Amino acid sequence: MLRTTLAGLRLHKARYVTTALAILLGVMFISGTMVFADTLEASYEESVMGSATNVDTIAVPAEQQDEAGRYLEPEPLTEEHLEQIRSLDEVAAADGVVNGHAVLLDAEGRTVGSVPPLGVSVGEVTRFTAREGTLPTTADEVALGTTTASETGFEVGDTITLLDPDRQEREFTVTGLVNFGIDPEYGFGGAVVMTEDVARRMTGAEGFGEIDVLAAEGVTEEHVTTSVAALLGDAAEIESGTAYGERLAGQGGAQSAILRISLLLFGVIAMFVASIVIYNTFAILIAQRQREMALLRCVGAKRGQVFRSVLIESFVVGLVSSALGVSAGIGAGFLGAWIGGPLLGADVVAAVVIDPNAILAGLLVGTLMTVFSALVPAIRATRVSPLAALRTSATAAGLEKGTGWPRVVFGVLTFVVSGVLVTGVRLIGPHPMNLFVVTGAALLAFLGVVVLGPLLVRWCAGVLGLPLRRMGVPSTLAVDNSTRNPRRAATAMIALTVGATLITGYSVVSATVESTMTKILDDAFLSDYRIDPQYAPEGGGADASVEEGAEEEAGDELPVDFSFVPDQVRSDLEREPSIESVFGERHDYTESDAAMEESDGTIPVTTYNGAEPGTDLTADLVEGDLADLGPGTVILSEDFAVDRGVGDTIGLASPEGELEFEIVAVAEDMQAFFGATIITEDYERIFPEGTQDSSLMIRGVPDADPAELREAVYSSVDDHPTLQVGSDTEIKNQFSEMMDIAFYTIAAMLGLAIIIAVFGISNTMALSVLERTRESAMLRALGLTKAQLRRMLAIESVLLCLIGAGVGIVLGVVFGWAASIAVLPNLVFTFPGPQIAVFITVAIVAGLLSAVLPARRAAGTSITGALGSE
């Protein structure tokens, strides 16, 4: 029996080609994902560990908290700490690392980043190495972090400009590039590496943010780490170089683990679609081979032997296809790491990692899924009566049954329950748990599609076939063929329906999120341009926009160190004819009886100096009118209003005591108004020193030339390099571009499921053509030309693809909308018309491609030979 099974496989191997491709693609994705993630993790570890183990011990200032448990800026380590460490017998050498923010100018003379990059010093003992070039050794040299170099375009040998704390420009030569990898302290905002003296001069930082230690000869890493820890006590957090590297590598591993899981989800989807293709292939093949199975039974094969022979076929097909998929996955995984690693902030420095688990997972998933998918067809093969099968022709009997009333009732019930769940989500409103409800509803609806598939095929083919029947004999025959075996058509269609549902649903969610966020951004961005100072975190760095005495004006109680826009900039802007209005934003915190518990009793207070509420300032309101804002009144955001409304009052602390303000409007959350918004005169009563704008908003005249407006805005900040100009339109465009990139990336991954589904339809068409060989010959004998036969099969395939895609599009739109309302407040539903049109076009093209080879085979078959065969 085994020899017979293997001989059958060799004889009919062409029938399994598309099935093998479906398995190969799914396994390739899974194994490739594991190789990709393993290689990325190894690169993270090699990069981080190589850096950290350059030293034996790393000491950083200990974190501190106040009595309320709030985080405080750590006290830097001192020169005295460094000398004490150097005096230890266990220490061969030690150097401190100066950390402070250094203001870097780009090629156009503007500051780089909304937060200045870190200025980092290196000494004789350092864990940092240059990936390209060398580390700085003189007062006129610096090295750049690779992320900073990438952002600015600077290379080794270039001259760059930094601002010192006195706002003076200093030029340096770039001697090297340092890859800080996933180290969050340096990797996020970038870094400029300097000698210690230069770092102190350019950042104004005091003390050390880190001390690196080398152990004396014969002293272990653990021993020197213990000695340094005992010396510094609570003043520092001490780790060995190995422990530090392992911790950072673990963080990188966590990132790649999340990526691994996300990608494997797409692999699972691909394998699920492949399983449908496998099931359909074996179901058709077993139905077509009923006479062969019956003959085996007649010559002595038992039911168990027939059952095992089918499973052996599936096992061999699955194993060979999975092996090919694993091989392809290894190459795809390394290619993905090589291309995607830099995008994730990691250079692939490790050789490709081929973990045995990646190989075993691919082989097991592909093989077991193939065998499992063939179980039902194998069971059917054992139920055929030998004599009854010998009396039938070689057709796929057993797949021609329709849909009985019990299936119809069950299918309708699944749709009803699914609809009830979606309605409940709509009534409850946005909540994270609603996503699980929507997922359950979608699975129920999909189950209904599976159960009612044959009916859906008949109905859809009937509707789509109305115009086709008027287009000639081939079209009419194609419509009739598509409804002849609705169960087979429905099974082939389901694979495409899964992919179309997922892509359409994601398209709906993506388009809706983009529209909703665009509306939020439109409400939040009140102008054409915005000018903000570069934010300099506490602890060092130059800020050229801080005017004389501004530090005192900011006060000591601010949770955030705000700086200000010079008044001269506003004056220059107001004189420009292309600018309609300029208004400033000022904000601070004060105590209030309306503050939320998590805000420590304070509430953010904002005023828009020179703006007219209701005209310059707009927002969606819960109640009230923005235009009513005036002396002694306030606009509250909904989260701070809590149980208060229009007409109620709130108290705001001021030097005069608590001031009462009447609420005239409550704005929805995520709008232009956050906390309490009052007029400028009242703001200055609460904050007498708050007389400077922390940012400016500029709106051009309606018919202003965009280039002229842009030039006017940028010209106003020429003498203030740390003032950063942002275009609200550009910000919204950047957001749209990010959404588009995310959409096309995920759509491409889901597209794998579509490709596998198309293979399934192509296989179904090929097997159908094989089954209908005599029928095709008869049509040719009756006068159907080769071109007409090819057209008939192409239209039949397109119909099948359109039905599968159409059902998927409907489900995708419904559940994409349901998923959006499950989590998004103030939803702006958007129907992705262009994407849907693309999907329909793809379905038509896929149908045509699926029919190419089967149609050629049918048209090339000998008429007399086919009619003469039994």
Side-chain angles (χ1 to χ4, degrees), residues 34 136 152 165 168 254 281 393 419 467 530 579 587 612 660 725 826 854:
M34 298 184 73
T152 59
Q168 298 301 310
T281 298
S393 59
R530 181 185 179 104
I579 294 177
H587 40 213
E612 183 179 343
E660 292 288 332
V725 179
N826 306 316

Side-chain angles (χ1 to χ4, degrees), residues 4 22 379 409 484:
T4 301
I379 293 172
V409 172
R484 180 190 300 178

